[in-house]
Amino acid sequence: MERKFWLLAVLILLTANVFATNKKIANEPDSAYLFAYNANGLRFAWSLDQQNWTPIGNDYTFLKSDYGRWGSEKKMITPFLIQGKNGLWVCIWSLNDRTLQFATSSSMDLISWSPQNYPYVNKGKNVLRPIIAYNRNLDEYTVTYVDGNGKYFQTKTNDLIRYSSVKEVAASAYRNGSTSVNLSDTGNGQVHRLPWKVILGLKKAHELKDYKYKQDRETTKDDAQRFAGLKNVEAKITFQPDKAKAISNMLTGVFFEDLNYAADGGLYAELIQNRDFEYHPRDKEYNDKSWNSSYAWTVKGDRATMKIDSVSPIHPNNPHYAVLDIPVAGASILNSGFDGIALKKGETYDFSLSAKLLDTKRMNLEVRLVSDKQGILAKSNLNITSNNWRTAALALVSSADVADAKLEIVMGNSGHIAIDMVSLFPKNTFKGRKNGLRADLAQTIGDIHPRFVRFPGGCLAHGDGIANIYKWKNSIGPLAARKPDRNLWGYHQTMGLGYYEYFQFCEDIGAVPVPVIAAGVPCQNSATGGGGQQGGIPMSEMGQYIQDIVDLIEYANGGVKTEWGKKRAEAGHPKPFNLKYIGIGNEDQITEVFAERFTMIYKALKKTHPEITVIGTAGPFFEGTDYEAGWQIASNLNVPIIDEHYYQSPGWFINNQNFYDSYDRSKSKVYLGEYAASLPGGNRTNMETSLAEALYLLSLERNGDVVSMASYAPLIAKEGHTQWDPDLIYFNNTEVKPTIGYFVQQLYGQNAGQEYIPSTMELSSNQENVKKRMACSMVKDAKTGDLIVKLVNLLPVSVNTSLDFNQQQLGKNTIKTVLAGKPDDKKAVPVIANISTEATRQLELPAYSFTVLRFKAR
Ligand code: AHR
């Protein structure tokens, strides 16, 4: 991947004296000493005399360990650095005192490091203080480690990937050679003598990082100082229709993940929590004792009890059910929903349950909606008469608006009864679908006019450990036959909102479905499987895994006579869902394990379904090892699109608007699958972050020939259950609360174009900081012929624009939409006005604003 031009410019500036001119500074040394040491990662210090040492960046790490769960276990212990084959630097380190694994990574320049490997060994108690040596004559590396019992072991490798079987060796084989230097708190490390230009390269790498770090930290809080004395700015914008280019017609979409109670308790309209009695303590890693099969249920009545059983369940995938022991008629069970059940006066609610009698001939049930304050809001009766599992249903109409009702099922007889799949849905789901979605939330998402919907994640797609990888087949078919699972975000997935419902939702809002399937590896931060590291589906199971992906294409697109197409038709959708895209992998760590499995899946899909566009993955950041290695795989395999993710500060988005300008157009296209601007602390999303996103989206439009798709992430979050902040839309049981960032997405979604018309901008100020905060883009909507101009002003002063349309034909009327406010506003909404096109030629853009002009076609 080519570096961005501006970054290159900065680098050249910073290194001007040395690299750019290739001139030596007078009295510059030929070589110096480098001390490699550990402080939460690999750090360096340099010295000319081995007496006086200078750290390169006081707290700057050149390599960090990627092993283990989110942050907490990612430790680099006793790193050991050598120079091996052909000058390759190899670093080896210990991971913890439990695992029979060590870590290695390599680099040619000590700046850019290879993907990390975590080879397993089979001897010793653990792997402590591993060291590595290279024998040039044998072209062989030897790894020696000591274990907790004080025994020494050795293994050999030629390629740092495949290792010989481990042998126990004498203590004398362990020749560490580490030393300490005269530098405070650094402990032991390795000293190497290097050409001075290598040390300079390290210093410059740190300086560049530092420079970028300062840019990233830029916020509007410093605007008064940054723009002191700045008066209103004049901007002359000239459009260049002769330079128009085609851009993606899929540019903005949405990213849906079941995180923050986005599905169960959120978009999925089911009102009963734990309807299937399948909640399990492992959903919360056994940290919450109340989180079990009875969660959200209570029993009321004389000696009445509820037990959980699993003998002869309704379906093997749904093994638990409740057994009610009712000694005296009139006892009841209650479900408190997800933070209560919200009801609307006059609305109908569809109740159903599955039940079987255990020792009585009949059980009369009175089903009620009740509120602590308002008593019974609705009730109706049904009879259970079978001692086999049967489903019964009825409808209830609420007599009042209530935010925190409960469902109560009153037993009209004594005896034992088993119940499962207790469900309550509003009749008024989105588009009236059965097993459907919450209408207000779904509508809010639909109003963005997303071109596509990505689902089911995010990390949820690749799961916490191999067993937790999301399996689409578990999410279709009758609800009782779906296989619930632990949600890696610390709760429970019923799978009620499954692949069928996702496809249906896409169709209902006119969006293209973009399912993301794990690349045969779980989340790199997994707690289970692979000793805290990624691991991968065993090769012997990859054939079936790939077949499952092929079956998904048949489920979505196959004829009704095909095995999987038939299932879709049985679910109520004989017509195909028109699946065109599949993402393989989600910001995975790009290891050998990943590469092998991704390549297998990619090649198989290319062969069996060349009509499907596969989206690859380039790790969780906009730079670094996974980004580079992910791109390398994509380039080698000619993967059509690659998924990039980055969550950054507003300063980053402002200063990186040319990120894609230099992307090679002949390589893979980009899907910016997850991004968001956020501020540290409480006010993570506001006008400032939203305008930074609007500004950056202009740069995506400008690069719409290489950036095919983009989706802000995450999409929705339930108040009180938010694991990830910020999000685009917050909600509770009764309200939907779009953020300002939501309106930015909506303005893009509703004003998309397929042709980009470049422009030049002359500003009355020459300040770089001013130029970066004012941007414009024009697109043409091919369907309507409308021309759309988007203008972002992230300055503290207004900008007077004069627009030169360069003889483009415009209609008389224009819709002007303005989103403006103070940087820390959290509540602004767009203001829409119909104005004459003439009035747009001279326009004042308010300070901190996003303006969209839609010129109706003539
Ligand atoms: O969007 C939230 C999470 O961020 C996603 O699950 C994951 O892909 C990323 O790390």
Side-chain angles (χ1 to χ4, degrees), residues 162-360:
R162 284 167 291 268
Y163 288 80
S164 67
S165 63
V166 179
K167 290 200 175 96
E168 190 173 343
V169 291
S172 56
Y174 188 82
R175 284 185 290 271
N176 187 318
S178 294
T179 180
S180 66
V181 301
N182 184 19
L183 190 65
S184 66
D185 298 335
T186 52
N188 277 1
Q190 297 78 53
V191 174
H192 296 274
R193 193 178 179 116
L194 300 178
W196 176 244
K197 66 174 189 198
V198 177
I199 310 267
L200 262 187
L202 296 173
K203 280 156 64 101
K204 298 302 170 196
H206 162 252
E207 279 165 22
L208 179 60
K209 215 32 185 209
D210 205 40
Y211 172 80
K212 289 202 278 174
Y213 179 82
K214 283 184 188 130
Q215 283 194 326
D216 294 355
R217 303 267 92 57
E218 287 178 9
T219 71
T220 54
K221 290 221 169 355
D222 304 321
D223 276 1
Q225 195 188 339
R226 185 178 296 117
F227 298 113
L230 183 71
K231 296 278 173 303
N232 287 1
V233 172
E234 309 291 322
K236 183 174 178 331
I237 298 168
T238 310
F239 296 102
Q240 301 169 304
D242 53 320
K243 294 191 175 151
K245 65 174 176 184
I247 58 169
S248 167
N249 62 358
M250 286 271 289
L251 194 55
T252 57
V254 295
F255 160 102
F256 182 88
E257 175 168 16
D258 185 5
L259 134 93
N260 308 319
Y261 276 47
D264 294 298
L267 185 61
Y268 185 46
E270 174 63 83
L271 295 167
I272 303 302
Q273 179 160 205
N274 190 18
R275 68 177 176 196
D276 53 6
F277 304 94
E278 296 300 334
Y279 275 28
H280 193 284
R282 81 174 151 258
D283 296 340
K284 286 193 176 281
E285 299 187 45
Y286 299 91
N287 289 327
D288 179 351
K289 291 228 161 57
S290 73
W291 192 272
N292 55 39
S293 298
S294 306
Y295 191 84
W297 291 98
T298 48
V299 185
K300 211 166 90 180
D302 191 10
R303 286 169 289 130
T305 60
M306 181 176 102
K307 275 192 333 199
I308 302 298
D309 207 344
S310 58
V311 178
S312 304
I314 192 165
H315 191 280
N317 287 345
N318 186 353
H320 299 102
Y321 57 87
V323 172
L324 309 176
D325 176 3
I326 312 293
V328 183
S332 65
I333 55 164
L334 292 107
N335 185 280
S336 52
F338 295 90
D339 304 332
I341 296 173
L343 301 173
K344 284 196 191 128
K345 186 176 174 180
E347 293 236 333
T348 304
Y349 295 86
D350 291 328
F351 167 85
S352 63
L353 93 172
S354 296
K356 64 175 173 180
L357 299 173
L358 298 178
D359 61 2
T360 52

Side-chain angles (χ1 to χ4, degrees), residues 70 255 257 259 458-460 489 586-587 645 647 674 713-714 724:
W70 309 105
F255 160 102
E257 175 168 16
L259 134 93
C459 289
L460 189 89
W489 294 104
N586 173 65
E587 62 173 49
H645 293 181
Y647 295 91
E674 294 184 29
W724 189 285

Side-chain angles (χ1 to χ4, degrees), residues 341-655:
I341 296 173
L343 301 173
K344 284 196 191 128
K345 186 176 174 180
E347 293 236 333
T348 304
Y349 295 86
D350 291 328
F351 167 85
S352 63
L353 93 172
S354 296
K356 64 175 173 180
L357 299 173
L358 298 178
D359 61 2
T360 52
K361 292 232 158 63
R362 166 170 183 277
M363 179 69 84
N364 179 270
L365 304 182
E366 183 172 282
V367 183
R368 299 173 178 169
L369 298 174
V370 296
S371 140
D372 287 347
K373 286 196 193 121
Q374 302 192 51
I376 299 175
L377 305 159
K379 63 178 181 181
S380 188
N381 287 73
L382 52 82
N383 277 320
I384 306 297
T385 53
S386 174
N387 48 13
N388 290 314
W389 286 111
R390 293 276 184 276
T391 299
L394 53 76
L396 297 161
V397 178
S398 176
S399 62
D401 284 335
V402 175
D404 57 355
K406 288 183 181 144
L407 171 82
E408 182 171 21
I409 308 173
V410 185
M411 313 294 154
N413 308 83
S414 60
H416 289 83
I417 180 173
I419 61 166
D420 204 350
M421 297 305 293
V422 185
S423 171
L424 184 76
F425 266 88
K427 191 168 243 17
N428 174 26
T429 57
F430 186 58
K431 306 269 178 199
R433 302 270 172 223
K434 281 253 168 297
N435 191 45
L437 308 182
R438 201 177 126 173
D440 54 354
L441 258 179
Q443 188 61 54
T444 308
I445 298 169
D447 287 346
I448 295 176
H449 290 192
R451 295 294 175 282
F452 63 89
V453 178
R454 170 192 179 135
F455 57 87
C459 289
L460 189 89
H462 59 184
D464 183 8
I466 293 170
N468 190 236
I469 287 177
Y470 191 102
K471 290 162 205 77
W472 74 270
K473 286 183 179 173
N474 290 345
S475 80
I476 59 158
L479 294 180
R482 297 187 187 186
K483 201 168 179 182
D485 203 352
R486 172 169 106 79
N487 182 318
L488 96 166
W489 294 104
Y491 56 103
H492 181 86
Q493 329 176 48
T494 62
M495 301 288 178
L497 169 48
Y499 261 64
Y500 180 82
E501 292 75 23
Y502 283 125
F503 282 133
Q504 184 64 70
F505 179 49
C506 291
E507 188 176 270
D508 284 344
I509 62 171
V512 169
V514 182
V516 173
I517 309 271
V521 296
C523 179
Q524 60 271 34
N525 303 303
S526 291
T528 53
Q533 229 293 309
Q534 189 179 54
I537 291 178
M539 277 301 158
S540 57
E541 293 168 27
M542 277 303 290
Q544 182 56 50
Y545 187 75
I546 291 171
Q547 186 57 48
D548 287 347
I549 305 176
V550 172
D551 291 344
L552 171 63
I553 300 169
E554 187 173 290
Y555 181 74
N557 294 350
V560 294
K561 295 212 168 106
T562 62
E563 181 188 352
W564 291 95
K566 188 165 171 242
K567 292 187 200 294
R568 181 193 70 240
E570 282 164 3
H573 202 286
K575 278 202 206 140
F577 278 122
N578 213 1
L579 177 67
K580 290 190 178 130
Y581 296 83
I582 291 188
I584 300 296
N586 173 65
E587 62 173 49
D588 300 288
Q589 197 169 26
I590 311 296
T591 58
E592 288 283 318
V593 179
F594 167 89
E596 197 176 10
R597 284 157 185 78
F598 177 86
T599 306
M600 275 177 88
I601 300 170
Y602 178 71
K603 287 190 171 160
L605 289 182
K606 219 176 147 201
K607 192 161 161 208
T608 53
H609 284 285
E611 78 285 6
I612 297 288
T613 302
V614 172
I615 303 170
T617 180
F621 306 112
F622 65 91
E623 62 179 2
T625 302
D626 296 323
Y627 170 79
E628 284 164 24
W631 264 99
Q632 194 57 57
I633 293 178
S635 302
N636 292 347
L637 293 173
N638 279 326
V639 178
I641 306 185
I642 187 157
D643 179 17
E644 295 185 351
H645 293 181
Y646 37 85
Y647 295 91
Q648 293 293 329
S649 59
W652 188 93
F653 285 100
I654 291 168
N655 285 295

